[in-house]
């Protein structure tokens, strides 16, 4: 009797292991289908000026668009995710030093990465939030590229990407935005120049950097980083709706909110928003008030 029960328990256990293995196999297959998809895009070439005013504008954009959070302040690259379940993903060394961009990474390659989320083989990059940069105007995108190309070479060890099983499953289920090329309208034409002014219109343009966490409608929700706190609603129906312009500026520069909360920079990157100019923060404030 006892050995019969044991036999059945073993069979059930084996069955479960088999089901798990098959399920993981299916997810792994689907994951690679996303990775292997090739995109036929026409990268529109634009001039990249190299003057010092453009490079200075590019430095500011590099900081406020969050490039440094993943590629490092000096562009040397950074390990962003390192977890046995999620995987290991590093922001590329964006200089032309060892472990960085190859010598043939030209302006078109920069534009392909930033506006289309694609690598040299026209396949999607991983985790690089190009969907937030795809609509930036020609002047801004050219300034960022000019700044990056003007930085000194840094040598770093190359950290190959390795996705873990949990990371693959979350990406296939669409719980993390891992495949930027899938989130971009590749046929869109970006404006040559948006007007920079303290207006809601300019605020909408800037808010692309907030949508990755606060969601496209900026109403917040689940944190895109597994285990992170819920992301706040920053439309007029949330706390921001009750804040004055000055309170908003203080909150985004110090992390202190009028409700007495200290936002943690690792959850809400206020060290990045602290670098926005007054004009940029006012524009964001005015835009959020319209939502
Ligand atoms: C959330 C993190 C994150 C942010 C923010 C980010 N990147 Fe990336 N970026 C990555 C990762 C990860 C890769 C490597 C992707 C890969 O190898 O598939 C990458 C790759 C790149 C590449 C190399 C593409 C290639 O073909 O090798 C360029 C160029 C680049 N990023 C530029 C930028 C610039 C400029 C900004 C800011 C406007 C920026 N990135 C912001 C994570 C980020
Ligand atoms: C990396 C993810 C991330 C990005 C990018 C991000 N936020 Fe946040 N933000 C959060 C999280 C998470 C919270 C909630 C933190 C908490 O509750 O401790 C938050 C909270 C806030 C708050 C406080 C809201 C409240 O009710 O107290 C404001 C205001 C805010 N974010 C504005 C912005 C703006 C504006 C941008 C774009 C320029 C932005 N955030 C970009 C993750 C992000």
């Amino acid at each position: 009797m006892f050995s019969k029960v044991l036999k059945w328990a073993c069979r059930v256990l084996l069955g479960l292991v088999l089901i798990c293995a098959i399920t993981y196999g299916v997810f792994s297959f689907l994951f690679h289908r996303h990775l292997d998809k090739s995109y036929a895009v026409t990268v529109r070439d634009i001039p990249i000026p190299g003057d010092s005013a453009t490079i200075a504008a590019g430095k500011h954009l590099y900081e406020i668009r969050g490039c440094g959070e993943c590629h490092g302040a000096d562009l040397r690259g950074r390990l962003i995710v390192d977890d046995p379940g999620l995987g290991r993903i590093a922001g590329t060394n964006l200089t032309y030093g060892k472990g960085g961009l190859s010598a043939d990474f030209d302006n078109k390659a920069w534009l392909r990465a930033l506006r289309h989320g694609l690598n040299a083989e026209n396949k999607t990059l991983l985790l690089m939030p190009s969907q937030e940069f795809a609509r930036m105007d020609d002047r801004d995108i050219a300034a960022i590229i000019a700044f990056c190309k003007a930085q000194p070479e840094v040598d770093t060890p190359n950290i190959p990407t390795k996705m873990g099983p949990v990371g693959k499953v979350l990406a296939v289920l669409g719980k993390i935005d891992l495949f930027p090329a899938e989130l971009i309208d590749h046929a869109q034409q970006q404006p040559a120049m948006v007007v920079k002014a303290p207006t809601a219109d300019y605020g909408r343009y800037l808010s692309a950097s907030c949508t990755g966490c606060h969601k496209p409608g900026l109403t917040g929700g689940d944190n895109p980083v597994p285990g992170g706190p819920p992301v706040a609603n920053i439309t007029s129906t949330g706390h921001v709706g009750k804040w004055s312009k000055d309170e908003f500026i203080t909150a985004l520069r110090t992390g202190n909110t009028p409700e007495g909360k200290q936002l943690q920079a690792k959850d809400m990157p206020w060290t990045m928003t602290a670098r926005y100019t007054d004009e940029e923060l006012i524009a964001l404030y005015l835009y959020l008030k319209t939502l």
Side-chain angles (χ1 to χ4, degrees):
M1 183 62 197
F2 181 71
S3 72
K4 237 182 183 171
V5 171
L6 205 68
K7 229 180 191 166
W8 272 104
C10 276
R11 279 185 190 150
V12 170
L13 202 68
L14 252 166
L16 284 176
V17 168
L18 206 65
I19 290 170
C20 286
I22 292 172
T23 310
Y24 179 63
V26 170
F27 272 105
S28 210
F29 169 77
L30 291 174
F31 179 79
H32 284 280
R33 271 229 310 230
H34 287 275
L35 279 197
D36 296 340
K37 179 168 178 200
S38 181
Y39 292 75
V41 299
T42 323
V43 180
R44 185 165 56 86
D45 214 355
I46 57 169
I48 311 292
D51 60 286
S52 58
T54 301
I55 290 172
K59 179 178 196 298
H60 177 65
L61 289 164
Y62 185 87
E63 290 167 355
I64 70 163
R65 291 284 179 161
C67 315
E69 312 274 323
C70 298
H71 294 284
D74 63 356
L75 285 68
R76 68 169 54 243
R78 264 193 69 194
L79 195 56
I80 311 168
V81 186
D82 193 10
D83 178 274
L86 291 172
R88 192 176 55 210
I89 307 181
T92 318
N93 172 347
L94 294 181
T95 75
Y96 290 84
K98 281 198 197 78
L101 303 175
S102 63
D104 61 1
F105 200 85
D106 56 10
N107 289 346
K108 273 220 161 149
W110 277 96
L111 291 163
R112 187 180 292 116
L114 287 168
R115 288 189 153 168
H116 299 278
L118 296 171
N119 63 20
E121 285 92 51
N122 281 322
K123 301 206 170 137
T124 188
L125 293 170
L126 285 182
L127 201 69
M128 158 76 182
S130 306
Q131 69 277 9
E132 295 177 12
F133 315 133
R135 280 194 293 271
M136 281 176 88
D137 69 19
D138 290 353
R139 171 189 50 190
D140 282 354
I141 216 82
I144 291 188
I145 296 173
F147 164 72
C148 291
K149 289 180 76 174
Q151 298 316 298
E153 292 178 4
V154 183
D155 298 337
T156 48
N158 190 13
I159 305 171
T161 295
K162 198 176 175 307
M163 290 304 295
V166 180
K168 284 186 193 174
V169 170
L170 289 177
V172 169
L173 294 176
K175 297 284 178 200
I176 43 176
D177 289 341
L178 197 66
F179 313 115
E182 295 181 6
L183 304 171
I184 293 172
D185 168 9
H186 296 280
Q188 76 194 329
Q189 164 103 25
Q190 298 82 1
M193 216 185 260
V194 301
V195 178
K196 298 195 176 188
T199 59
D201 255 5
Y202 185 44
R204 178 180 340 117
Y205 176 76
L206 292 170
S207 74
S209 301
C210 322
T211 54
C213 297
H214 288 278
K215 315 288 169 201
L218 298 171
T219 48
D222 290 342
N223 198 305
V225 184
V231 185
N233 171 2
I234 53 171
T235 70
S236 59
T237 58
H239 287 141
V240 178
K242 299 187 209 80
W243 297 357
S244 71
K245 191 177 72 194
D246 290 340
E247 286 173 330
F248 179 78
I249 293 179
T250 305
L252 290 198
R253 291 225 169 110
T254 64
N256 283 311
T257 76
E259 286 77 30
K261 184 168 194 173
Q262 173 63 54
L263 300 168
Q264 301 302 310
K266 65 169 175 41
D267 302 324
M268 161 60 204
W270 60 264
T271 43
M272 171 186 94
T273 51
R275 295 175 183 274
Y276 282 61
T277 62
D278 283 354
E279 179 179 86
E280 287 160 348
L281 288 179
I282 293 168
L284 272 171
Y285 176 75
L286 292 175
Y287 173 58
L288 295 179
K289 287 285 208 180
T290 67
L291 300 177

